[in-house]
Amino acid sequence: MSLSFSGPKGWIEQRWIVYALMRDSIQHHLEDGRPSAEFAAIHGAAAALGGQRVMLPARKLHDELRRARAELAGRPIDALAISGRTRAVLSLRWPPPEGLETMLVTDWGDSVPLLGAPRGDSLDDVFGHLLDGLLRITEGASESDHVEIMDL
């Protein structure tokens, strides 16, 4: 599975697990483990999984991504987090658990199926390229611009 993000300045495609680990790490480190309105656009992209087309406000997404980049850049790979939702998908358990908790990947077993053992020294090595790509396609977005997300 991969997600396609199409914004006012282009598009990118990324494996869903990279997006999920970015979202989960944001939730773990910046939202005290629970999704919040502060990062609603980033969380909203998950609704595309399973084939639904999602439209998100590009400027809001850009602002959330800038904040996430500033807070997470350079954190060590040991800070990589994973949620119960992501663990359920990887374990082929459906529906996902009711709880929205997150944990560090190191506490789950140090390896993420479909991603393998995280390579590199920082979170940037896992999802920095996704953050950079999304920031690029939403740069200078107006209030009326949107990002379309589709599960491919």
Side-chain angles (χ1 to χ4, degrees), residues 6-152:
S6 187
K9 291 205 173 171
W11 70 275
I12 61 170
E13 183 178 335
Q14 186 57 247
R15 290 179 300 146
W16 76 271
I17 189 64
V18 174
Y19 157 75
L21 292 171
M22 178 186 75
R23 178 204 59 207
D24 295 349
S25 293
I26 290 168
Q27 180 178 321
H28 187 81
H29 295 291
L30 307 180
E31 300 177 286
D32 296 322
R34 311 263 326 151
S36 72
E38 279 186 83
F39 294 95
I42 289 172
H43 288 289
L49 294 170
Q52 188 171 345
R53 179 177 162 241
V54 173
M55 300 294 284
L56 298 174
R59 182 180 281 176
K60 179 166 177 33
L61 181 60
H62 185 84
D63 292 345
E64 291 176 13
L65 292 163
R66 282 183 51 218
R67 178 161 179 236
R69 161 65 79 204
E71 296 281 340
L72 296 177
R75 287 195 187 207
I77 197 71
D78 290 347
L80 185 63
I82 191 166
S83 68
R85 294 177 302 234
T86 302
R87 293 190 316 268
V89 172
L90 291 171
S91 303
L92 302 177
R93 289 189 331 245
W94 205 255
E98 293 291 320
L100 300 173
E101 80 288 343
T102 58
M103 66 172 45
L104 295 175
V105 168
T106 55
D107 294 335
W108 188 53
D110 264 347
S111 178
V112 178
L114 304 180
L115 182 65
R119 293 191 175 118
D121 298 322
S122 72
L123 295 183
D124 291 332
D125 296 317
V126 177
F127 53 76
H129 55 289
L130 174 58
L131 266 168
D132 291 341
L134 291 172
L135 284 167
R136 181 182 47 76
I137 69 168
T138 57
E139 184 68 37
S142 72
E143 287 294 326
S144 62
D145 286 331
H146 287 84
V147 174
E148 178 183 27
I149 300 111
M150 294 175 57
D151 184 0
L152 303 177

